[in-house]
Amino acid sequence: MNKQYFLNEAFLEAKKGFSEGGIPIGSILVHKNKIIGRGHNRRIQNSSSILHGEMDAIENAGRRSADFYEECEIYTTLSPCSMCSGAILLYGIPKVIIGENKTFLGEEELLKSRGVEIDVLNDKNCIELMSDFIKKNPSLWNEDIGE
């Protein structure tokens, strides 16, 4: 399996969230080349204040030990916000593969400063999906990022 395969899986999660009427951000938690958690932003669908894509993927992976998370990487279609970056740091996930950071630049510098490896792919599908969503739904987008 390669990065593009896992990013495509995260993108499918983003599209699923969009088809449910939500914000199109998806994430995949991978352990030793195996998907163990999938998620997408469900703030709108679940009337949740915290269910971003990364949080959903970590939650759906179930309870795991610290040693387990240290062997994981997380794929996300969009640069992780402060909350999701905090969860990544809390659980010691050492690598984040980001679909794009053109429409939103999250806490990549914070993650790097704490030793997390960041790989930004700037995938055109991720950029297009978020750009279109933000253009058509500016108030929902601003709510999601806390503005």
Side-chain angles (χ1 to χ4, degrees), residues 3-142:
K3 286 184 217 178
Q4 196 58 53
Y5 169 81
F6 290 121
L7 181 62
N8 288 342
E9 291 296 310
F11 185 73
L12 291 174
E13 286 293 322
K15 286 175 51 177
K16 182 176 181 182
F18 181 70
S19 73
E20 294 171 353
I23 298 167
I25 303 168
S27 186
I28 301 291
L29 187 64
V30 175
H31 179 260
K32 295 183 177 180
N33 260 351
K34 181 180 178 201
I35 296 171
I36 57 147
R38 297 175 169 274
H40 54 274
N41 187 306
R42 296 179 199 245
R43 290 190 66 248
I44 295 167
Q45 301 91 310
N46 290 17
S47 193
S48 168
S49 58
I50 63 169
L51 219 51
H52 283 190
E54 299 91 336
M55 303 293 276
D56 195 34
I58 292 168
E59 174 71 14
N60 289 331
R63 186 175 170 191
R64 306 290 181 153
S65 70
D67 292 349
F68 185 87
Y69 287 112
E70 290 172 0
E71 298 174 335
C72 290
E73 50 192 30
I74 193 163
Y75 287 74
T76 180
T77 57
L78 186 64
S79 185
C81 72
S82 300
M83 176 179 63
C84 295
S85 293
I88 290 164
L89 292 172
L90 178 67
Y91 292 106
I93 299 169
K95 185 171 184 180
V96 181
I97 298 88
I98 299 168
E100 66 104 348
N101 64 3
K102 301 291 185 199
T103 60
F104 175 77
L105 179 59
E107 297 293 337
E108 293 174 32
E109 289 306 315
L110 170 65
L111 291 167
K112 287 179 194 175
S113 76
R114 300 281 297 275
V116 176
E117 182 182 342
I118 303 293
D119 189 358
V120 181
L121 303 180
N122 281 321
D123 180 85
K124 70 177 184 83
N125 292 323
C126 293
I127 295 168
E128 283 179 20
L129 184 60
M130 276 312 297
S131 295
D132 290 347
F133 179 82
I134 292 168
K135 201 178 304 175
K136 293 174 184 170
N137 303 281
S139 62
L140 284 177
W141 173 240
N142 288 334

